[in-house]
Amino acid sequence: MRKKIVAGNWKMNNNLSETINLINDLKIQIYKNNVKVMIAPAFTFLHDAVKQIDGFDIEVISQNINNNSSGAYTGEVSAEMLKSIGVNTTLIGHSERRAYYNEDDELLLNKLKYSIECGMNVIFCFGEELSDRKSQNHFTVVKNQLDNTVMKVDKSSWKKIILAYEPVWAIGTGETASAEQAQEMHEFVRKCISESFGEEISNNVSILYGGSVKPNNASEIFSKKDVDGGLIGGAALNASDFSKIVESNR
Ligand code: PEP
């Protein structure tokens, strides 16, 4: 049985008090159901967030991770540091990291392998640009991104991997892929995984959709058979909107 997941990526938003307030609001508003809920506040506040969650069933995760254990990597954060404060899952490969910080497939594969070696779980993000979709190259681009990264890990790593298909043209733009476009890509990705790693792994990996998911479109997107939940940006900053999105994933 695949896990249903809704994860909120808070990006570079919220100071300490806003972080604590949003967590407190989520603790009141999130209705317990069979959905796994995750939130990714800024690095600075992860420890406070873990303490504030205080046993409530929301997992605090990180937005990024370094691919080295320790040393002279100014400004970076390691898996060991994250694990020491109770953070055991990280995003890797978000399109903003790829675009603004030049994170290429080779680096992302290193991050992925190292994180898993350290016992972290990974939400691995991928997705095509608008020009790729307009030129009908979206399947090829996605397949390449996957072939260069997650397809290079060993079979046993897959129990630590969650995938997030995030078409870049839909992130923060208010433009969402249609439920059919999401389903079509998720089905394609599952087929690619099945071809390389077999049906058991492809049937068990959760594939989230990300890109302008809001309370008014979440149910339709989540109703598709290969869409196991969402990675939510803007709408995750509002407790009421995020809670409604979580409830849509029943
Ligand atoms: C994201 O950044 O992962 C994302 C999906 O953002 P938004 O929901 O704002 O499009």
Side-chain angles (χ1 to χ4, degrees), residues 128-130 166-177 209-213:
E128 82 282 0
E129 310 258 351
L130 184 58
E166 299 207 299
V168 179
W169 49 272
I171 295 181
T173 58
E175 193 168 336
T176 326
Y209 167 80
S212 298
V213 175

Side-chain angles (χ1 to χ4, degrees), residues 9 11 91 94-96 125 166 170-175 209-214 231-236:
N9 175 12
K11 311 192 184 185
L91 297 180
H94 191 280
S95 63
E96 288 150 17
C125 311
E166 299 207 299
I171 295 181
T173 58
E175 193 168 336
Y209 167 80
S212 298
V213 175
K214 309 285 177 206
L231 179 55
I232 319 298

Side-chain angles (χ1 to χ4, degrees), residues 27-207:
K27 283 163 79 171
I28 295 165
Q29 294 185 37
I30 294 227
Y31 184 75
K32 297 242 181 231
N33 55 23
N34 62 345
V35 179
K36 182 159 181 51
V37 180
M38 300 174 169
I39 54 168
F43 275 138
T44 355
F45 309 125
L46 285 177
H47 193 209
D48 300 276
V50 169
K51 286 194 279 184
Q52 198 65 26
I53 289 290
D54 189 27
F56 197 84
D57 200 10
I58 294 178
E59 183 179 354
V60 176
I61 69 172
S62 68
Q63 299 175 18
N64 189 21
I65 195 163
N66 189 268
N67 54 312
N68 295 285
S69 59
S70 64
Y73 301 101
T74 304
E76 292 293 301
V77 173
S78 72
E80 284 310 326
M81 292 172 180
L82 292 169
K83 288 197 318 180
S84 74
I85 58 164
V87 172
N88 298 302
T89 302
T90 184
L91 297 180
I92 290 180
H94 191 280
S95 63
E96 288 150 17
R97 299 292 321 169
R98 292 176 189 254
Y100 307 148
Y101 303 98
N102 301 322
E103 296 199 358
D104 59 12
D105 287 345
E106 193 184 342
L107 174 66
L108 297 176
L109 176 60
N110 284 338
K111 287 188 176 204
L112 177 66
K113 282 186 168 167
Y114 188 69
S115 300
I116 290 173
E117 230 174 81
C118 292
M120 299 282 296
N121 301 303
V122 172
I123 300 183
F124 191 85
C125 311
F126 58 93
E128 82 282 0
E129 310 258 351
L130 184 58
S131 55
D132 303 320
R133 185 155 281 262
K134 281 194 170 152
S135 59
Q136 303 287 312
N137 278 327
H138 44 295
F139 291 114
T140 313
V141 167
V142 162
K143 176 129 183 18
N144 261 330
Q145 289 176 339
L146 298 177
D147 282 347
N148 292 338
T149 55
V150 287
M151 296 304 188
K152 294 196 166 169
V153 301
D154 56 30
K155 260 188 161 183
S156 65
S157 298
W158 278 89
K159 53 183 180 303
K160 312 286 281 176
I161 296 176
I162 296 160
L163 295 177
Y165 168 56
E166 299 207 299
V168 179
W169 49 272
I171 295 181
T173 58
E175 193 168 336
T176 326
S178 67
E180 288 70 31
Q181 286 172 320
Q183 166 57 27
E184 182 185 45
M185 184 58 83
H186 286 218
E187 191 174 348
F188 171 74
V189 169
R190 221 179 277 290
K191 190 175 119 268
C192 295
I193 298 167
S194 173
E195 282 165 7
S196 297
F197 295 99
E199 274 208 8
E200 196 186 334
I201 287 179
S202 81
N203 281 336
N204 281 317
V205 63
S206 295
I207 309 178

